[in-house]
Amino acid sequence: MARYLLPLSIFIVLAGFLGYGLKLNPREVPSPLIDKPAPAFRVPQLHAADKTITPEDMRGKVWLLNVWASWCAACRQEHPLLVEFARRNVVPIVGLSYKDRREDGLAWLKELGDPYVLSAFDLDGRVGIDYGVYGVPETFLIDKAGIIRHKHIGPLTPEALERTLLPKIRELSGA
Amino acid sequence: MARRWLFALLLAASTTVLGAEALPVSPDPELERRVMAIAEELRCLVCQNQTIADSHAELATDLKNQVRQMLKSGKTDREIKEFMVQRYGDFVLYRPPMKTTTWMLWVGPFLLLLGGLGILLFKLRLRTKRVVDEPMVTEQHARARVLLAPATNNQSTTESI
């Protein structure tokens, strides 16, 4: 009996680790930007090429930065939720049109609704690199002082919104 | 003969195609060499088991451009890697630094190897001890003698046929 004890315990430990590993999503690489100031940028607005937008404009507010593109299928999946969330007027959502053509982005917003208070236009993806974007859509939660507090990789889901984002938003807005 | 010519022609055609594909992005080969050297060290986050040198994902191309630009503006290799880590985390490095969160990654395989060797040595020692500790009894000796005895005539004749 005792001779089986060692292999058995090794097996249980291994199975435990592997089982835990199955639940992790290797696509979700934790961002080193959490709790760091949101990288500065100044880019043209999507709707008005002659106007610019910078994160400084949102100083003093808790806000979401949503990175999206019209060529991104997961963004289309996420979009109705954003539109609905924007209607609830909880926090302002700023859009970042990532590596997209201006006319494509505008057509998309016209067709599917525009949840954004402002839309930034990042044609060459330079802002995306500064924010460590590697898979659109991505959503950043930024606090009143301009610190990134949370990053959601991939399309937002109702669960992620209710269970993770909203509690954090409440916490940040209260303070 | 004609077939051989055709083959040569196809071969020539294929090399021109390859040559066209491998055109360097910038005319400075030394710069390209440095870009690739750094790109070999960076993980592509879209296709996670490739370096950005290997990957054709759009992000990888963008990051290679970023590296190229930073090199042109006189940044050192270390500064460029620092730039990437600040944005994408240690995960972007194929050789992550030794820290409290990564020491298991570096030491783990060697710990496993040592553990394995330890178990092997332990088992081997146990086995030799067991062989020495159990002397053969007389009946076993007798049985062994019978088994080892020269083959009978019967068997040797069948063998020769």
Side-chain angles (χ1 to χ4, degrees), chain B residues 4-160:
Chain B
R4 193 176 290 177
W5 273 110
L6 186 67
F7 180 70
L9 201 70
L10 282 176
L11 201 70
S14 68
T15 45
T16 29
V17 169
L18 283 178
E21 211 173 7
L23 259 178
V25 196
S26 120
D28 180 357
E30 171 58 18
L31 178 70
E32 280 317 295
R33 198 193 54 74
R34 284 189 67 197
V35 169
M36 284 320 261
I38 296 175
E40 296 277 357
E41 293 279 316
L42 297 174
R43 183 191 303 276
C44 172
L45 277 98
V46 180
C47 21
Q48 294 182 347
N49 286 328
Q50 276 188 312
T51 62
I52 65 168
D54 287 337
S55 173
H56 290 283
E58 213 164 305
L59 180 68
T61 317
D62 287 353
L63 288 179
K64 270 180 278 190
N65 287 334
Q66 181 77 32
V67 170
R68 189 172 297 119
Q69 242 169 22
M70 291 180 80
L71 280 175
K72 272 187 191 160
S73 64
K75 294 272 194 303
T76 65
D77 292 18
R78 179 192 283 254
E79 281 171 326
I80 293 172
K81 278 184 201 163
E82 192 68 24
F83 174 92
M84 294 297 171
V85 170
Q86 272 168 14
R87 283 154 182 78
Y88 296 99
D90 287 333
F91 189 70
V92 79
L93 296 179
Y94 255 96
R95 284 188 286 177
M98 189 78 134
K99 321 177 166 178
T100 41
T101 46
T102 57
W103 72 268
M104 204 44 188
L105 196 68
W106 284 100
V107 188
F110 300 105
L111 282 183
L112 278 179
L113 183 70
L114 273 183
L117 278 178
I119 291 175
L120 183 70
L121 275 180
F122 178 73
K123 285 275 173 192
L124 282 179
R125 195 167 293 169
L126 213 66
R127 185 184 291 177
T128 42
K129 204 189 271 175
R130 209 177 281 156
V131 172
V132 176
D133 283 355
E134 282 178 29
M136 279 205 260
V137 286
T138 5
E139 297 99 88
Q140 281 171 325
H141 273 291
R143 201 169 125 73
R145 212 169 294 127
V146 173
L147 286 172
L148 292 171
T152 57
N153 283 342
N154 246 349
Q155 276 169 328
S156 58
T157 43
T158 36
E159 250 172 331
S160 64

Side-chain angles (χ1 to χ4, degrees), chain A residues 56-154:
Chain A
E56 284 299 315
D57 299 344
M58 303 304 288
R59 188 55 68 103
K61 291 177 193 158
V62 177
W63 57 291
L64 291 178
L65 179 70
N66 178 247
V67 186
W68 65 281
S70 68
W71 45 260
C72 142
C75 301
R76 188 169 281 266
Q77 178 193 333
E78 171 189 69
H79 205 77
L81 186 67
L82 282 179
V83 172
E84 199 240 38
F85 186 62
R87 231 173 257 147
R88 283 161 63 180
N89 258 329
V90 183
V91 283
I93 310 173
V94 173
L96 180 72
S97 165
Y98 175 71
K99 301 196 71 175
D100 205 354
R101 285 193 305 200
R102 193 182 287 274
E103 61 268 30
D104 290 349
L106 287 172
W108 155 293
L109 291 180
K110 199 173 231 178
E111 183 198 332
L112 298 169
D114 187 350
Y116 308 118
V117 291
L118 280 169
S119 285
F121 183 61
D122 182 25
L123 179 62
D124 54 8
R126 191 57 54 85
V127 178
I129 290 181
D130 279 343
Y131 278 76
V133 170
Y134 64 89
V136 249
E138 288 186 13
T139 307
F140 296 84
L141 172 63
I142 300 169
D143 74 5
K144 290 174 184 169
I147 311 286
I148 296 180
R149 290 303 181 184
H150 181 70
K151 177 186 183 184
H152 183 91
I153 297 157

